Amino acid sequence: MREVNVPIRGLRAERLPRTVWWLVLARAINRLGAFSVGFLTVLITAEFGVSAVAAGVVAAAFGLATIPSRLLGGVLADRLGRRRTIVAGLVGCALAQAGIAVSGSVAMVAGFAVLLGLAFEVYEPPSQAMIADAVRPAQQAQAFSLFNTALAVGGMGAGLIAAGLGRWDLRWLFVADAVSCLLCAVVIRLVLPADRPAPVPVPAPDASPGASPGSAPDASSGFGHGSGSGSGGPSRGTWAAWRDRRLLVLLLSGTLFAVIFMQVGMAMPLALARRGMEAADAGLLSAVAAVVMVLCQPLLRWTAALSHHAAMTWGYLLLATGLAGYAASGGLPGHLAATLVWSAGDVLMFGRSYALVVDLAPPDARGRYLSVFGTCWGFATVLAPLSGTQLLDRAGPEGLWGGLAAACLLLAVAQHTVIRPLLDRQAPAL
Protein backbone atom coordinates (compact mmCIF):
# COMPACT_ATOMS: atom_id res chain seq x y z
CA MET A 1 0.00 0.00 0.00
CA ARG A 2 1.35 3.39 -0.94
CA GLU A 3 1.34 5.92 1.90
CA VAL A 4 0.64 9.57 1.05
CA ASN A 5 2.81 11.85 3.14
CA VAL A 6 3.12 15.61 2.74
CA PRO A 7 5.36 18.21 4.36
CA ILE A 8 3.90 19.79 7.47
CA ARG A 9 4.32 23.29 6.04
CA GLY A 10 2.26 22.40 2.98
CA LEU A 11 -0.58 20.96 4.99
CA ARG A 12 -0.80 24.01 7.22
CA ALA A 13 -1.37 26.18 4.19
CA GLU A 14 -4.35 24.09 3.03
CA ARG A 15 -7.74 24.69 4.57
CA LEU A 16 -10.45 22.10 4.73
CA PRO A 17 -13.27 22.62 2.21
CA ARG A 18 -16.51 24.21 3.37
CA THR A 19 -18.32 20.91 2.76
CA VAL A 20 -16.36 19.34 5.63
CA TRP A 21 -17.17 22.19 8.01
CA TRP A 22 -20.87 22.03 7.17
CA LEU A 23 -20.88 18.27 7.81
CA VAL A 24 -19.10 18.80 11.12
CA LEU A 25 -21.65 21.45 12.14
CA ALA A 26 -24.57 19.25 11.09
CA ARG A 27 -23.19 16.33 13.05
CA ALA A 28 -22.81 18.48 16.17
CA ILE A 29 -26.41 19.68 15.78
CA ASN A 30 -27.64 16.12 15.37
CA ARG A 31 -25.61 14.94 18.38
CA LEU A 32 -27.21 17.64 20.52
CA GLY A 33 -30.47 15.77 20.13
CA ALA A 34 -29.16 12.22 20.13
CA PHE A 35 -29.39 11.95 23.90
CA SER A 36 -32.81 10.31 24.11
CA VAL A 37 -31.62 6.80 23.20
CA GLY A 38 -29.92 6.45 26.57
CA PHE A 39 -33.27 7.08 28.25
CA LEU A 40 -35.21 4.51 26.24
CA THR A 41 -35.17 1.87 28.99
CA VAL A 42 -36.07 4.48 31.61
CA LEU A 43 -39.07 5.58 29.55
CA ILE A 44 -40.30 2.00 29.15
CA THR A 45 -40.00 1.09 32.82
CA ALA A 46 -41.35 4.42 34.14
CA GLU A 47 -44.24 4.92 31.71
CA PHE A 48 -45.44 1.33 31.26
CA GLY A 49 -44.27 -0.38 34.44
CA VAL A 50 -42.45 -3.26 32.73
CA SER A 51 -39.36 -4.93 34.15
CA ALA A 52 -35.84 -3.74 33.51
CA VAL A 53 -35.14 -7.03 31.72
CA ALA A 54 -37.92 -6.39 29.19
CA ALA A 55 -36.72 -2.83 28.70
CA GLY A 56 -33.21 -4.17 28.11
CA VAL A 57 -34.50 -6.46 25.37
CA VAL A 58 -36.02 -3.48 23.56
CA ALA A 59 -32.76 -1.56 23.88
CA ALA A 60 -30.82 -4.56 22.58
CA ALA A 61 -33.17 -4.79 19.57
CA PHE A 62 -32.39 -1.16 18.82
CA GLY A 63 -28.65 -1.84 19.06
CA LEU A 64 -28.80 -4.83 16.72
CA ALA A 65 -30.81 -2.84 14.17
CA THR A 66 -28.03 -0.25 13.93
CA ILE A 67 -25.71 -2.79 12.25
CA PRO A 68 -27.78 -3.28 9.07
CA SER A 69 -28.59 0.45 9.28
CA ARG A 70 -24.97 1.38 8.66
CA LEU A 71 -24.66 -1.15 5.83
CA LEU A 72 -27.81 0.26 4.24
CA GLY A 73 -26.35 3.75 4.49
CA GLY A 74 -23.25 2.62 2.61
CA VAL A 75 -25.22 1.02 -0.22
CA LEU A 76 -27.54 4.01 -0.61
CA ALA A 77 -24.62 6.46 -0.48
CA ASP A 78 -23.02 4.81 -3.51
CA ARG A 79 -26.25 4.24 -5.45
CA LEU A 80 -28.71 6.96 -4.42
CA GLY A 81 -26.23 9.71 -3.60
CA ARG A 82 -24.54 11.16 -0.52
CA ARG A 83 -26.85 14.10 0.24
CA ARG A 84 -30.07 12.22 -0.49
CA THR A 85 -29.04 9.37 1.81
CA ILE A 86 -28.10 11.71 4.66
CA VAL A 87 -31.40 13.56 4.43
CA ALA A 88 -33.40 10.33 4.19
CA GLY A 89 -31.66 8.86 7.24
CA LEU A 90 -32.20 11.96 9.36
CA VAL A 91 -35.88 12.21 8.40
CA GLY A 92 -36.30 8.51 9.23
CA CYS A 93 -34.77 9.09 12.66
CA ALA A 94 -37.08 12.05 13.26
CA LEU A 95 -40.20 10.03 12.39
CA ALA A 96 -39.14 7.12 14.61
CA GLN A 97 -38.31 9.44 17.53
CA ALA A 98 -41.67 11.15 17.19
CA GLY A 99 -43.33 7.73 17.11
CA ILE A 100 -41.68 6.76 20.39
CA ALA A 101 -42.81 10.04 21.95
CA VAL A 102 -46.49 9.38 21.17
CA SER A 103 -46.51 5.59 21.71
CA GLY A 104 -49.22 4.26 23.97
CA SER A 105 -47.90 0.74 24.55
CA VAL A 106 -44.66 -1.16 24.98
CA ALA A 107 -45.23 -2.89 21.64
CA MET A 108 -45.42 0.47 19.86
CA VAL A 109 -42.27 1.69 21.59
CA ALA A 110 -40.46 -1.51 20.62
CA GLY A 111 -41.56 -1.21 16.99
CA PHE A 112 -40.47 2.41 16.69
CA ALA A 113 -37.22 1.60 18.54
CA VAL A 114 -36.34 -0.98 15.89
CA LEU A 115 -37.26 1.50 13.13
CA LEU A 116 -35.06 4.07 14.85
CA GLY A 117 -32.18 1.59 14.89
CA LEU A 118 -32.63 0.90 11.17
CA ALA A 119 -32.38 4.62 10.41
CA PHE A 120 -29.92 5.63 13.14
CA GLU A 121 -26.64 4.89 11.33
CA VAL A 122 -27.72 5.66 7.77
CA TYR A 123 -26.24 9.14 8.23
CA GLU A 124 -22.68 7.97 8.90
CA PRO A 125 -21.38 6.28 5.68
CA PRO A 126 -22.55 8.97 3.23
CA SER A 127 -21.17 11.71 5.48
CA GLN A 128 -17.80 10.00 5.67
CA ALA A 129 -17.84 9.28 1.93
CA MET A 130 -18.66 12.94 1.21
CA ILE A 131 -15.68 13.98 3.32
CA ALA A 132 -13.45 11.57 1.41
CA ASP A 133 -14.77 13.01 -1.87
CA ALA A 134 -14.17 16.61 -0.81
CA VAL A 135 -10.62 16.53 0.57
CA ARG A 136 -7.22 15.55 -0.70
CA PRO A 137 -5.69 12.31 0.63
CA ALA A 138 -3.26 14.28 2.81
CA GLN A 139 -6.19 15.99 4.58
CA GLN A 140 -8.34 12.94 5.20
CA ALA A 141 -6.99 12.13 8.66
CA GLN A 142 -7.56 15.72 9.81
CA ALA A 143 -11.08 15.84 8.37
CA PHE A 144 -12.18 12.52 9.87
CA SER A 145 -10.72 13.44 13.26
CA LEU A 146 -12.59 16.74 13.21
CA PHE A 147 -15.78 14.87 12.29
CA ASN A 148 -15.30 12.63 15.32
CA THR A 149 -14.58 15.62 17.58
CA ALA A 150 -17.94 17.14 16.60
CA LEU A 151 -19.58 14.06 18.12
CA ALA A 152 -17.81 14.58 21.44
CA VAL A 153 -18.53 18.31 21.56
CA GLY A 154 -22.18 17.78 20.71
CA GLY A 155 -22.37 15.20 23.48
CA MET A 156 -21.40 17.82 26.04
CA GLY A 157 -24.37 19.99 25.13
CA ALA A 158 -26.60 16.93 24.87
CA GLY A 159 -25.99 16.10 28.51
CA LEU A 160 -27.14 19.56 29.59
CA ILE A 161 -30.30 19.37 27.46
CA ALA A 162 -31.10 15.90 28.79
CA ALA A 163 -30.65 17.07 32.38
CA GLY A 164 -33.24 19.80 31.82
CA LEU A 165 -35.90 18.08 29.73
CA GLY A 166 -35.51 14.74 31.52
CA ARG A 167 -36.69 16.27 34.78
CA TRP A 168 -39.81 17.60 33.05
CA ASP A 169 -41.08 14.72 30.92
CA LEU A 170 -39.05 11.90 29.34
CA ARG A 171 -41.19 11.94 26.20
CA TRP A 172 -40.01 15.47 25.42
CA LEU A 173 -36.49 14.11 25.06
CA PHE A 174 -37.62 12.18 21.99
CA VAL A 175 -39.51 15.19 20.66
CA ALA A 176 -36.40 17.34 20.98
CA ASP A 177 -34.34 14.65 19.25
CA ALA A 178 -36.82 14.52 16.36
CA VAL A 179 -36.62 18.30 15.97
CA SER A 180 -32.81 18.24 15.97
CA CYS A 181 -32.78 15.54 13.27
CA LEU A 182 -35.10 17.59 11.06
CA LEU A 183 -33.02 20.72 11.63
CA CYS A 184 -29.89 18.80 10.67
CA ALA A 185 -31.61 17.47 7.53
CA VAL A 186 -32.58 21.01 6.48
CA VAL A 187 -28.98 22.22 6.96
CA ILE A 188 -27.65 19.33 4.86
CA ARG A 189 -30.23 19.86 2.11
CA LEU A 190 -29.62 23.60 1.80
CA VAL A 191 -25.87 23.98 2.13
CA LEU A 192 -24.23 20.82 0.77
CA PRO A 193 -23.57 20.26 -2.93
CA ALA A 194 -26.12 18.24 -4.90
CA ASP A 195 -25.48 14.59 -5.63
CA ARG A 196 -23.75 13.61 -8.81
CA PRO A 197 -23.65 10.21 -10.51
CA ALA A 198 -21.23 7.78 -8.90
CA PRO A 199 -17.82 7.88 -10.60
CA VAL A 200 -17.06 4.88 -12.78
CA PRO A 201 -13.30 4.26 -13.05
CA VAL A 202 -12.07 3.92 -16.65
CA PRO A 203 -8.74 2.22 -17.40
CA ALA A 204 -6.11 4.25 -19.17
CA PRO A 205 -5.75 3.55 -22.93
CA ASP A 206 -2.31 1.99 -22.45
CA ALA A 207 -3.29 -0.05 -19.41
CA SER A 208 -2.27 -3.67 -19.44
CA PRO A 209 -5.01 -6.34 -19.51
CA GLY A 210 -4.45 -7.16 -15.86
CA ALA A 211 -4.35 -3.57 -14.64
CA SER A 212 -6.94 -2.51 -12.13
CA PRO A 213 -9.47 -0.07 -13.58
CA GLY A 214 -9.85 1.42 -10.13
CA SER A 215 -6.48 3.13 -10.42
CA ALA A 216 -7.98 6.11 -12.22
CA PRO A 217 -8.48 9.25 -10.16
CA ASP A 218 -11.83 9.84 -8.53
CA ALA A 219 -13.97 11.88 -10.90
CA SER A 220 -16.13 13.26 -8.14
CA SER A 221 -13.37 14.95 -6.23
CA GLY A 222 -10.69 15.55 -8.82
CA PHE A 223 -8.03 14.06 -6.54
CA GLY A 224 -6.02 10.85 -6.75
CA HIS A 225 -6.51 8.08 -4.22
CA GLY A 226 -3.11 6.71 -3.45
CA SER A 227 -3.13 2.95 -3.25
CA GLY A 228 -6.81 2.73 -2.57
CA SER A 229 -7.82 3.71 -6.03
CA GLY A 230 -6.10 0.72 -7.42
CA SER A 231 -7.16 -1.71 -4.78
CA GLY A 232 -10.02 -3.48 -6.29
CA GLY A 233 -11.47 -1.88 -9.40
CA PRO A 234 -15.16 -1.16 -9.71
CA SER A 235 -17.33 -2.68 -7.06
CA ARG A 236 -19.30 -5.74 -8.08
CA GLY A 237 -22.34 -5.84 -5.84
CA THR A 238 -23.17 -5.14 -2.23
CA TRP A 239 -20.97 -7.88 -0.81
CA ALA A 240 -17.80 -6.97 -2.72
CA ALA A 241 -16.42 -5.06 0.27
CA TRP A 242 -16.83 -8.09 2.52
CA ARG A 243 -14.54 -10.07 0.20
CA ASP A 244 -11.66 -7.62 0.58
CA ARG A 245 -9.36 -9.27 3.11
CA ARG A 246 -7.52 -6.04 3.82
CA LEU A 247 -10.77 -4.38 4.87
CA LEU A 248 -11.65 -7.33 7.09
CA VAL A 249 -8.29 -7.02 8.84
CA LEU A 250 -9.01 -3.36 9.55
CA LEU A 251 -12.53 -4.29 10.68
CA LEU A 252 -11.09 -6.77 13.20
CA SER A 253 -8.65 -4.28 14.69
CA GLY A 254 -11.29 -1.52 14.55
CA THR A 255 -13.75 -3.68 16.50
CA LEU A 256 -11.20 -4.28 19.26
CA PHE A 257 -10.49 -0.54 19.43
CA ALA A 258 -14.23 0.26 19.50
CA VAL A 259 -14.76 -2.17 22.39
CA ILE A 260 -11.91 -0.49 24.30
CA PHE A 261 -13.16 3.02 23.52
CA MET A 262 -16.75 2.28 24.53
CA GLN A 263 -15.61 0.87 27.88
CA VAL A 264 -14.46 4.34 28.89
CA GLY A 265 -18.01 5.63 28.68
CA MET A 266 -19.90 2.51 29.76
CA ALA A 267 -17.73 1.18 32.58
CA MET A 268 -16.37 4.45 33.98
CA PRO A 269 -19.34 5.28 36.27
CA LEU A 270 -19.28 1.76 37.76
CA ALA A 271 -15.50 1.79 38.12
CA LEU A 272 -15.56 5.16 39.90
CA ALA A 273 -18.26 3.93 42.29
CA ARG A 274 -16.22 0.80 43.05
CA ARG A 275 -13.39 3.06 44.22
CA GLY A 276 -15.67 5.11 46.45
CA MET A 277 -15.78 8.08 44.10
CA GLU A 278 -18.79 9.86 42.63
CA ALA A 279 -20.19 8.04 39.58
CA ALA A 280 -21.31 11.43 38.23
CA ASP A 281 -17.64 12.39 37.84
CA ALA A 282 -17.71 10.28 34.69
CA GLY A 283 -19.58 13.17 33.07
CA LEU A 284 -16.78 15.55 34.04
CA LEU A 285 -14.18 13.21 32.54
CA SER A 286 -16.23 12.98 29.34
CA ALA A 287 -16.38 16.77 29.09
CA VAL A 288 -12.61 17.03 29.62
CA ALA A 289 -12.04 14.46 26.87
CA ALA A 290 -14.15 16.51 24.45
CA VAL A 291 -12.19 19.69 25.23
CA VAL A 292 -8.89 17.87 24.73
CA MET A 293 -10.03 16.53 21.36
CA VAL A 294 -10.72 20.08 20.21
CA LEU A 295 -7.47 21.52 21.54
CA CYS A 296 -5.37 18.67 20.12
CA GLN A 297 -6.47 19.14 16.50
CA PRO A 298 -3.12 20.86 15.67
CA LEU A 299 -1.48 17.55 16.62
CA LEU A 300 -2.68 16.21 13.28
CA ARG A 301 -0.75 18.87 11.39
CA TRP A 302 2.37 18.37 13.48
CA THR A 303 2.33 14.63 12.74
CA ALA A 304 1.35 14.94 9.07
CA ALA A 305 4.71 13.57 7.92
CA LEU A 306 4.05 10.25 9.68
CA SER A 307 2.49 7.39 7.77
CA HIS A 308 -0.99 6.27 8.81
CA HIS A 309 0.41 3.16 10.45
CA ALA A 310 3.08 5.01 12.41
CA ALA A 311 0.59 7.61 13.66
CA MET A 312 -1.86 4.91 14.71
CA THR A 313 0.88 3.03 16.56
CA TRP A 314 1.72 6.14 18.57
CA GLY A 315 -1.98 6.76 19.16
CA TYR A 316 -2.46 3.28 20.58
CA LEU A 317 0.54 3.79 22.86
CA LEU A 318 -0.98 7.00 24.23
CA LEU A 319 -4.29 5.21 24.74
CA ALA A 320 -2.50 2.44 26.63
CA THR A 321 -0.71 5.00 28.81
CA GLY A 322 -3.95 6.79 29.67
CA LEU A 323 -5.81 3.58 30.51
CA ALA A 324 -2.88 2.42 32.63
CA GLY A 325 -3.19 5.75 34.42
CA TYR A 326 -6.80 4.91 35.26
CA ALA A 327 -5.65 1.57 36.69
CA ALA A 328 -3.01 3.19 38.89
CA SER A 329 -5.04 6.20 40.02
CA GLY A 330 -7.27 6.25 43.06
CA GLY A 331 -8.52 9.83 42.89
CA LEU A 332 -10.07 12.36 40.55
CA PRO A 333 -6.84 14.28 39.73
CA GLY A 334 -5.18 11.10 38.48
CA HIS A 335 -8.22 10.25 36.37
CA LEU A 336 -8.18 13.74 34.86
CA ALA A 337 -4.51 13.42 33.93
CA ALA A 338 -5.11 10.00 32.38
CA THR A 339 -8.02 11.44 30.38
CA LEU A 340 -5.73 14.11 28.91
CA VAL A 341 -3.33 11.42 27.68
CA TRP A 342 -5.76 8.94 26.10
CA SER A 343 -7.81 11.73 24.48
CA ALA A 344 -4.71 12.95 22.67
CA GLY A 345 -4.09 9.40 21.50
CA ASP A 346 -7.64 9.15 20.17
CA VAL A 347 -7.16 12.31 18.11
CA LEU A 348 -3.90 10.96 16.69
CA MET A 349 -5.25 7.61 15.49
CA PHE A 350 -9.00 7.91 14.89
CA GLY A 351 -8.92 9.86 11.64
CA ARG A 352 -6.05 7.77 10.31
CA SER A 353 -8.08 4.57 10.59
CA TYR A 354 -10.80 5.94 8.31
CA ALA A 355 -8.19 7.34 5.92
CA LEU A 356 -6.78 3.81 5.58
CA VAL A 357 -10.23 2.52 4.66
CA VAL A 358 -10.65 5.23 2.03
CA ASP A 359 -7.25 4.25 0.61
CA LEU A 360 -8.55 0.70 0.13
CA ALA A 361 -11.90 1.57 -1.42
CA PRO A 362 -12.56 1.86 -5.16
CA PRO A 363 -13.96 5.33 -5.95
CA ASP A 364 -17.46 3.97 -6.63
CA ALA A 365 -17.60 1.92 -3.41
CA ARG A 366 -16.41 4.31 -0.72
CA GLY A 367 -19.76 4.35 1.03
CA ARG A 368 -19.90 0.57 1.24
CA TYR A 369 -16.31 0.21 2.44
CA LEU A 370 -16.85 2.84 5.12
CA SER A 371 -20.13 1.24 6.17
CA VAL A 372 -18.56 -2.21 6.52
CA PHE A 373 -15.73 -0.77 8.60
CA GLY A 374 -18.25 1.20 10.64
CA THR A 375 -20.03 -1.98 11.76
CA CYS A 376 -17.20 -2.35 14.27
CA TRP A 377 -19.14 0.09 16.47
CA GLY A 378 -22.28 -2.03 16.19
CA PHE A 379 -20.37 -5.15 17.22
CA ALA A 380 -18.78 -3.19 20.06
CA THR A 381 -22.20 -2.07 21.29
CA VAL A 382 -22.96 -5.73 21.97
CA LEU A 383 -19.50 -6.83 23.16
CA ALA A 384 -18.48 -3.86 25.32
CA PRO A 385 -21.15 -4.16 28.05
CA LEU A 386 -20.58 -7.91 28.36
CA SER A 387 -16.79 -7.78 28.53
CA GLY A 388 -16.61 -4.64 30.66
CA THR A 389 -18.95 -5.83 33.40
CA GLN A 390 -17.24 -9.22 33.52
CA LEU A 391 -13.78 -7.67 33.85
CA LEU A 392 -14.97 -5.21 36.47
CA ASP A 393 -16.72 -7.92 38.48
CA ARG A 394 -13.82 -10.38 38.40
CA ALA A 395 -10.77 -8.11 38.45
CA GLY A 396 -11.99 -4.78 39.78
CA PRO A 397 -11.19 -1.35 38.31
CA GLU A 398 -7.45 -2.08 38.27
CA GLY A 399 -7.96 -5.27 36.25
CA LEU A 400 -10.45 -3.59 33.89
CA TRP A 401 -8.24 -0.64 32.98
CA GLY A 402 -5.05 -2.69 33.06
CA GLY A 403 -6.57 -5.26 30.69
CA LEU A 404 -7.72 -2.56 28.29
CA ALA A 405 -4.27 -0.94 28.39
CA ALA A 406 -2.73 -4.30 27.49
CA ALA A 407 -5.17 -4.63 24.58
CA CYS A 408 -4.05 -1.20 23.29
CA LEU A 409 -0.41 -2.33 23.46
CA LEU A 410 -1.40 -5.40 21.46
CA LEU A 411 -3.02 -3.18 18.82
CA ALA A 412 0.08 -0.97 18.68
CA VAL A 413 2.32 -3.97 18.04
CA ALA A 414 -0.11 -5.51 15.55
CA GLN A 415 -0.51 -2.25 13.59
CA HIS A 416 3.20 -1.99 12.87
CA THR A 417 4.26 -5.64 12.65
CA VAL A 418 1.18 -7.45 11.30
CA ILE A 419 -1.42 -5.12 9.77
CA ARG A 420 0.94 -2.92 7.77
CA PRO A 421 2.90 -5.80 6.18
CA LEU A 422 -0.35 -7.64 5.47
CA LEU A 423 -1.89 -4.65 3.69
CA ASP A 424 1.31 -4.04 1.75
CA ARG A 425 1.60 -7.67 0.73
CA GLN A 426 -1.98 -7.97 -0.52
CA ALA A 427 -2.08 -4.60 -2.30
CA PRO A 428 -1.94 -5.16 -6.09
CA ALA A 429 0.93 -3.65 -8.01
CA LEU A 430 0.05 -0.32 -9.61
Side-chain angles (χ1 to χ4, degrees):
M1 178 181 298
R2 176 162 59 88
E3 293 281 359
V4 179
N5 296 323
V6 296
I8 298 177
R9 184 179 302 173
L11 184 58
R12 281 179 177 172
E14 263 189 305
R15 295 183 178 181
L16 292 174
R18 284 188 298 176
T19 296
V20 175
W21 290 106
W22 280 118
L23 285 169
V24 168
L25 176 61
R27 196 184 205 205
I29 293 174
N30 189 43
R31 183 67 178 95
L32 282 174
F35 47 75
S36 60
V37 175
F39 293 85
L40 182 60
T41 55
V42 181
L43 174 69
I44 294 174
T45 55
E47 294 284 335
F48 303 104
V50 301
S51 67
V53 174
V57 171
V58 175
F62 161 81
L64 289 175
T66 61
I67 297 177
S69 170
R70 189 178 283 261
L71 295 175
L72 176 64
V75 173
L76 294 178
D78 291 333
R79 296 184 176 178
L80 182 64
R82 318 298 201 213
R83 192 178 71 176
R84 295 189 190 97
T85 302
I86 294 173
V87 172
L90 291 171
V91 172
C93 284
L95 294 176
Q97 293 277 12
I100 292 175
V102 300
S103 292
S105 66
V106 176
M108 287 184 65
V109 172
F112 281 115
V114 172
L115 291 177
L116 177 61
L118 291 173
F120 198 74
E121 297 288 347
V122 169
Y123 173 89
E124 290 290 316
S127 300
Q128 295 163 353
M130 186 173 281
I131 288 177
D133 293 341
V135 302
R136 298 181 182 276
Q139 295 178 297
Q140 287 173 0
Q142 180 186 4
F144 283 125
S145 180
L146 189 64
F147 195 59
N148 178 56
T149 302
L151 193 65
V153 173
M156 293 175 58
L160 298 176
I161 297 175
L165 290 179
R167 299 176 189 275
W168 183 21
D169 189 333
L170 288 176
R171 291 179 182 267
W172 281 105
L173 292 175
F174 295 89
V175 174
D177 199 354
V179 172
S180 75
C181 286
L182 290 177
L183 177 60
C184 187
V186 170
V187 172
I188 293 292
R189 179 62 180 81
L190 293 179
V191 304
L192 291 186
D195 293 307
R196 288 178 289 181
V200 178
V202 178
D206 58 345
S208 63
S212 169
S215 58
D218 178 10
S220 68
S221 63
F223 306 139
H225 278 282
S227 63
S229 56
S231 60
S235 59
R236 296 180 295 275
T238 302
W239 300 106
W242 290 100
R243 295 193 293 269
D244 192 326
R245 294 180 180 178
R246 298 164 300 163
L247 179 61
L248 296 182
V249 169
L250 294 180
L251 174 60
L252 179 61
S253 63
T255 299
L256 180 54
F257 165 74
V259 170
I260 295 170
F261 184 84
M262 292 187 71
Q263 298 291 1
V264 178
M266 291 183 172
M268 181 61 76
L270 294 174
L272 291 176
R274 285 285 188 95
R275 285 176 159 170
M277 302 169 62
E278 290 290 337
D281 286 341
L284 173 62
L285 297 177
S286 178
V288 170
V291 172
V292 172
M293 290 179 188
V294 174
L295 296 179
C296 283
Q297 289 302 306
L299 186 63
L300 297 170
R301 297 196 298 270
W302 301 336
T303 59
L306 294 177
S307 70
H308 293 328
H309 296 286
M312 291 181 69
T313 299
W314 282 108
Y316 285 134
L317 291 176
L318 287 174
L319 285 165
T321 303
L323 293 172
Y326 283 154
S329 176
L332 184 59
H335 280 74
L336 289 171
T339 300
L340 296 177
V341 176
W342 77 253
S343 300
D346 179 70
V347 170
L348 190 60
M349 62 80 51
F350 189 92
R352 300 278 191 159
S353 63
Y354 282 91
L356 274 179
V357 175
V358 174
D359 273 352
L360 296 181
D364 64 331
R366 281 172 167 171
R368 275 164 282 186
Y369 268 64
L370 287 165
S371 67
V372 169
F373 180 72
T375 58
C376 63
W377 295 99
F379 297 140
T381 302
V382 178
L383 296 174
L386 299 176
S387 59
T389 52
Q390 288 292 323
L391 274 173
L392 190 60
D393 186 59
R394 296 175 183 274
E398 295 81 5
L400 168 67
W401 303 124
L404 295 178
C408 284
L409 290 177
L410 176 63
L411 283 172
V413 173
Q415 188 71 41
H416 198 67
T417 63
V418 178
I419 297 176
R420 179 173 188 167
L422 183 63
L423 297 184
D424 288 344
R425 185 166 62 250
Q426 294 195 6
L430 294 178

